[in-house]
Amino acid sequence: MEGGTVKRGKGGPGKLKGRPVDPVALGEVQALLGDAPRRRDLMVEHLHKIQDRYGHLSAAHLVALAREMRLAPTEVYEVATFYHHFDVVKDGLAPPALTVRVCDSLSCELAGGRELIEALRQGLGTGVRVIPAPCVGRCEQAPVAVVGRHPVAHATPAAVMSLIGANNTECPVEPYVAYEEYRAQGGYKLAAECLSGRRDVEEILKVMEISGLRGLGGAGFPAGRKWRIVRAEAAPRLMAVNIDEGEPGTFKDRYYLERDPHRFIEGVLIAAWAVQISEIYIYLRDEYAGCRAILERELTALTLNRPCALPPIYLRRGAGAYICGEESAMIESIEGKRGMPRLRPPYVAQVGLFGRPTLEHNMETLFWVRDIIEKGAEWFASQGRNGRKGLRSFSVSGRVNKPGVHLAPAGITVKELIDEYCGGMQAGHQFYAYLPGGASGGILPANLGDVPLDFDTLHPYGCFIGSAAVIILSDKDKAAMAARNVMKFFAEESCGQCTPCRVGTAKAVGLMAERKWNQPLLEELSVAMADASICGLGQAAPNPIRCVMKYFPDEIK
């Protein structure tokens, strides 16, 4: 059989047609895939194998992969070109052997990311490609460059060039609580009790409900209620864990995975037991190469020395697409497709991964399960301030002395967070404004710094907490600048599926570049995006625009 496209008729498979398969490329792809299944849902994984080996995706390799997977080359090509981290060769021009990505999202721009890009472009030779990148999840280390897979904290041109000179491009892994140490500290005892029947499911569900734990990926849906909803659906039920934290300003999931991965994995097993899950899929963003190495190693250790019965657990790798943080887009990506959000209803709890009822959770939500059950619902619920329940992991970056993940009571105010946890403002900077929920959550002035930070508390002000990514601006910054930065991010990360988002974000970038904003037109555009976009990206994109017009009008007149 020759060619890469199957033409099918009523009588069954017809002749293959289209670009001929290069036998050398076919052999190379077959060697990379080995005995791995050629299922459609492994499309992104197989593309990664080719990208990792050759540094790009050639037309010959894409056609060969299509042949192996019994798909049309167009199906492979549309997936490969959707994701930022796949370098599809066009016009026969392969990219340079090494790529340096420099984050240009808001926290890194505040720390000089734009100047770093220009300095590296001037200082590095033609054999190295320097490109701006959306948030890489290390905002507390701004500005950040990534040399190959090696992140460079507080990057300078000299630090980046020294890594390149040393050929040090793999992501290092710092010490963390590994499997044996976690077991020695009582880890997996609770999971073993659950799976052996010594714990009652109804008891666990009630503890989760009373605790008030809500989804910590941004939506805030009560975790215990979600477990009940999915458990009531017909089997088989699946689980999809979302670790694609691409929201600018967010890095809490990475922080916990780099330190205590098994606390998260045990939470996964307990949730899977309570909901009677058949298979577990963990979707990890591609920027987190160190976390991927940790999870691969520790899942292997868990499997080789099982503390209890384990359902199948699959680790899937993202490929650089912010939209895949949306639950249905993530599911599409796991299924080997472009990460485009689905229309709802039906919701993923009813029709999710592979058409089955799916329990979708953020990594940090599951991280707290063991502590809540062992210490009791009241322990967690009693932690809040200002009438709120629980703890929040705030990813704080910007103009503070101690950026980082700060575990604080839900309902704390941003002023309290800065003073009590972040060591105050940087020298010479006065608190001016803040983004309470990353790029999507809007922008508020300092005189609203006493609003409790939690789910629902920020809605009256046109904002939301989302994943608790707090970016602090000072009197040296402008809210309009911050809004332009995040709108550029939205325009670049829109999946393009729906017109209000695809066209609206791009149009907004142009309008916001003007010194004086056309506010009536921007408001009209905001209404269209918020009301007609399919998913949260387009629906939340107007938040920064509206906040600047409402709270910082002097900056845009």
Side-chain angles (χ1 to χ4, degrees), residues 308-371:
C308 54
L310 300 176
I313 304 174
Y314 304 102
L315 180 61
R316 292 296 177 86
R317 181 177 170 185
Y322 166 72
I323 193 64
C324 289
E326 195 276 340
E327 61 179 7
S328 66
M330 174 190 67
I331 285 172
E332 289 285 297
S333 187
I334 293 173
E335 292 180 353
K337 306 171 188 173
R338 295 175 294 170
M340 289 189 167
R342 297 175 178 177
L343 290 170
R344 287 171 286 189
Y347 296 94
V348 299
Q350 286 78 42
V351 182
L353 187 58
F354 306 123
R356 301 307 311 164
T358 302
L359 177 66
E360 187 273 343
H361 263 316
N362 169 256
M363 177 268 164
E364 195 207 345
T365 310
L366 296 161
F367 184 86
W368 288 110
V369 168
R370 175 190 166 189
D371 283 339

Side-chain angles (χ1 to χ4, degrees), residues 120-457:
L120 289 173
R121 283 176 171 169
Q122 293 178 17
L124 294 174
T126 56
V128 180
R129 177 177 58 167
V130 179
I131 58 175
C135 185
V136 297
R138 295 180 177 274
C139 314
E140 83 281 26
Q141 302 169 359
V144 179
V146 182
V147 179
R149 294 191 184 93
H150 195 303
V152 185
H154 309 295
T156 62
V160 171
M161 292 177 188
S162 66
L163 275 181
I164 295 173
N167 196 27
N168 186 2
T169 61
E170 292 300 318
C171 184
V173 175
E174 300 297 326
Y176 61 90
V177 180
Y179 180 66
E180 294 301 330
E181 182 181 356
Y182 184 77
R183 287 290 300 276
Q185 297 172 355
Y188 291 110
K189 179 181 177 182
L190 176 58
E193 290 175 351
C194 289
L195 275 82
S196 66
R198 285 178 283 167
R199 291 277 189 158
D200 177 66
V201 172
E202 184 60 30
E203 167 200 345
I204 298 298
L205 290 173
K206 286 182 178 177
V207 169
M208 294 298 297
E209 289 170 335
I210 295 170
S211 72
L213 178 67
R214 296 174 66 169
L216 298 173
F221 193 88
R225 192 192 310 171
K226 181 182 284 191
W227 290 14
R228 284 196 188 276
I229 289 171
V230 180
R231 181 181 169 87
E233 295 293 322
R237 293 173 287 274
L238 305 179
M239 185 174 184
V241 183
N242 194 335
I243 321 181
D244 195 63
E245 59 172 359
E247 182 75 19
T250 307
F251 46 92
K252 61 185 178 61
D253 291 354
R254 190 209 86 233
Y255 176 88
Y256 287 123
L257 277 176
E258 288 178 340
R259 290 159 175 79
D260 198 358
H262 286 283
R263 193 169 300 270
F264 152 68
I265 297 171
E266 184 166 12
V268 170
L269 295 179
I270 294 167
W273 161 78
V275 184
Q276 297 181 321
I277 295 296
S278 299
E279 295 180 341
I280 298 165
Y281 291 79
I282 299 174
Y283 188 86
L284 179 69
R285 71 180 306 203
D286 194 36
E287 289 84 350
Y288 290 173
C291 293
R292 185 169 66 254
I294 290 171
L295 284 175
E296 288 173 345
R297 184 183 307 161
E298 297 310 311
L299 286 171
T300 298
L302 175 68
T303 303
L304 293 175
N305 184 16
R306 302 179 181 221
C308 54
L310 300 176
I313 304 174
Y314 304 102
L315 180 61
R316 292 296 177 86
R317 181 177 170 185
Y322 166 72
I323 193 64
C324 289
E326 195 276 340
E327 61 179 7
S328 66
M330 174 190 67
I331 285 172
E332 289 285 297
S333 187
I334 293 173
E335 292 180 353
K337 306 171 188 173
R338 295 175 294 170
M340 289 189 167
R342 297 175 178 177
L343 290 170
R344 287 171 286 189
Y347 296 94
V348 299
Q350 286 78 42
V351 182
L353 187 58
F354 306 123
R356 301 307 311 164
T358 302
L359 177 66
E360 187 273 343
H361 263 316
N362 169 256
M363 177 268 164
E364 195 207 345
T365 310
L366 296 161
F367 184 86
W368 288 110
V369 168
R370 175 190 166 189
D371 283 339
I372 288 172
I373 295 173
E374 286 185 342
K375 298 177 182 179
E378 291 302 325
W379 164 79
F380 188 79
S382 64
Q383 299 289 334
R385 292 185 187 178
N386 298 310
R388 312 307 294 179
K389 289 185 177 182
L391 295 166
R392 293 286 175 272
S393 301
F394 292 95
S395 303
V396 186
S397 60
R399 306 297 194 180
V400 293
N401 282 318
K402 295 180 180 179
V405 173
H406 298 290
L407 185 62
I412 193 172
T413 70
V414 72
K415 289 181 178 178
E416 293 169 337
L417 189 64
I418 293 170
D419 293 340
E420 298 177 31
Y421 291 85
C422 301
M425 297 291 293
Q426 293 175 353
H429 291 265
Q430 298 294 318
F431 180 38
Y432 173 69
Y434 66 109
L435 286 72
S440 305
I443 309 173
L444 292 175
N447 61 17
L448 290 177
D450 292 319
V451 178
L453 294 174
D454 199 19
F455 298 111
D456 310 320
T457 58

